[in-house]
Amino acid sequence: MTAQIIDGKAFAATVREKVAGHVARLKEENGITPGLAVVLVGEDPASQVYVRSKGKQTVEVGMNSYEHKLDVETSEADLLALIDQLNNDPQVHGILVQLPLPSHLNEDLVINSIDPAKDVDGFHISNVGLLGTGQKSMVPCTPLGCLMMLRDHHGSLSGMDAVVIGRSNIVGKPMAQLLLGDSCTVTIAHSRTKDLPDVVRRADIVVAAVGRPEMVPGDWIKEGATVIDVGINRIDAPEKGEGKTRLVGDVHFESAAARAGAITPVPGGVGPMTIACLLANTVTACCRANGLAEPDGLTA
Ligand code: NAD
């Protein structure tokens, strides 16, 4: 079998189009422009790139983008004061604090100071609890993107065996909750799992979120399974020239594609969906804040 490639770049473009359409309607019919505030503390180069592209895409779908760049030495009190101001600003419907924060700042405290209704990253403890109990919440963007791609490919996921490799709070755990919410039989595998190959071989759906380059070989994949590769790993690529690198996922793409029914590539799979889902969450938060109907197909 040769797997169907799930094109995350194209799918993310359709999500952004839907968001842009809804934003246009909100402006025209309700006089409301959704707004996303992104807070960056310090000058971590990767975070700067993410924040820039979040801001750019926010504006491209017609929303307001508010960027707050704070000095690396910013005190916790000053950061909390800014979040309080954003919580109370009616123009701001979504707040995202770019992680990781410098080590003198308590990440849990900061995230839990965001109004849960504006917590478009879905990391606030209230949103974690709401998701875990199957209630309406803000859903973390990367797992939401994975769910959208799975629903788009399969329609119903009910009764499927899903294995999530990785148990982080930002990907693995919320991904497992979402799959459970769609009535999959879910196994969460992690670094202490016994006989991981055997566990993965049972799966109709494999979501790999580990951060280890190509650790899942094709012969762990059940024939016809759907493979969602969340991993983004930069490895040396001497074949491209001296000092060159390339991105690979947590799954060995070629061998897995030879067995899977469908697979996401890296790059161009899950990655582009994450910011698209951030925009989707912002428009959802804006609708909820204004008592308006939420757009279809942009939430869990
Ligand atoms: P993390 O380091 O927080 O968690 C990794 C998880 O993998 C842990 O729960 C650990 O138990 C598990 N693990 C480690 N070694 C293992 C092993 N040998 N076998 C089985 N499980 C093992 O990472 P994360 O934040 O969840 O991110 C995972 C990957 O996804 C990274 O490559 C990251 O860059 C990528 N990521 C991509 C996006 C995106 O937008 N596409 C977003 C977030 C994370």
Side-chain angles (χ1 to χ4, degrees), residues 26-152:
L26 281 170
K27 285 184 183 174
E28 203 178 295
E29 293 169 17
N30 307 95
I32 300 166
T33 304
L36 172 64
V38 176
V39 180
L40 173 63
V41 186
E43 290 178 359
D44 176 70
S47 295
Q48 284 180 323
V49 172
Y50 290 139
V51 166
R52 213 174 303 131
S53 83
K54 284 169 186 168
K56 186 168 166 273
Q57 293 191 34
T58 303
V59 172
E60 276 169 5
V61 294
M63 305 201 288
N64 287 329
S65 164
Y66 308 100
E67 279 182 26
H68 295 268
K69 294 188 174 159
L70 307 182
D71 189 86
V72 67
E73 310 261 297
T74 299
S75 70
E76 202 160 83
D78 284 350
L79 178 57
L80 293 177
L82 172 63
I83 292 172
D84 188 49
Q85 181 199 315
L86 298 171
N87 282 342
N88 290 299
D89 184 342
Q91 309 290 325
V92 172
H93 304 98
I95 303 170
L96 179 150
V97 176
Q98 184 65 45
L99 302 178
L101 288 170
S103 57
H104 67 284
L105 299 169
N106 179 338
E107 237 164 58
D108 287 337
L109 181 78
V110 170
I111 295 305
N112 289 324
S113 72
I114 298 172
D115 177 350
K118 297 189 178 189
D119 168 40
V120 282
D121 250 344
F123 296 158
H124 190 291
I125 197 73
S126 297
N127 282 317
V128 176
L130 290 167
L131 177 62
T133 49
Q135 300 178 70
K136 196 182 262 196
S137 64
M138 280 285 131
V139 177
C141 303
T142 299
L144 178 58
C146 297
L147 182 76
M148 282 184 189
M149 291 195 288
L150 284 166
R151 283 179 176 169
D152 183 65

Side-chain angles (χ1 to χ4, degrees), residues 142 165-168 170-172 189-191 196 209-212 215 230-233 250 270-271 274:
T142 299
I165 318 174
R167 57 174 159 182
S168 73
I170 65 165
V171 189
H190 46 78
S191 52
L196 184 61
V210 180
R212 286 176 171 244
M215 72 162 273
V230 183
I232 302 176
N233 310 288
D250 291 343
V270 175
T274 297

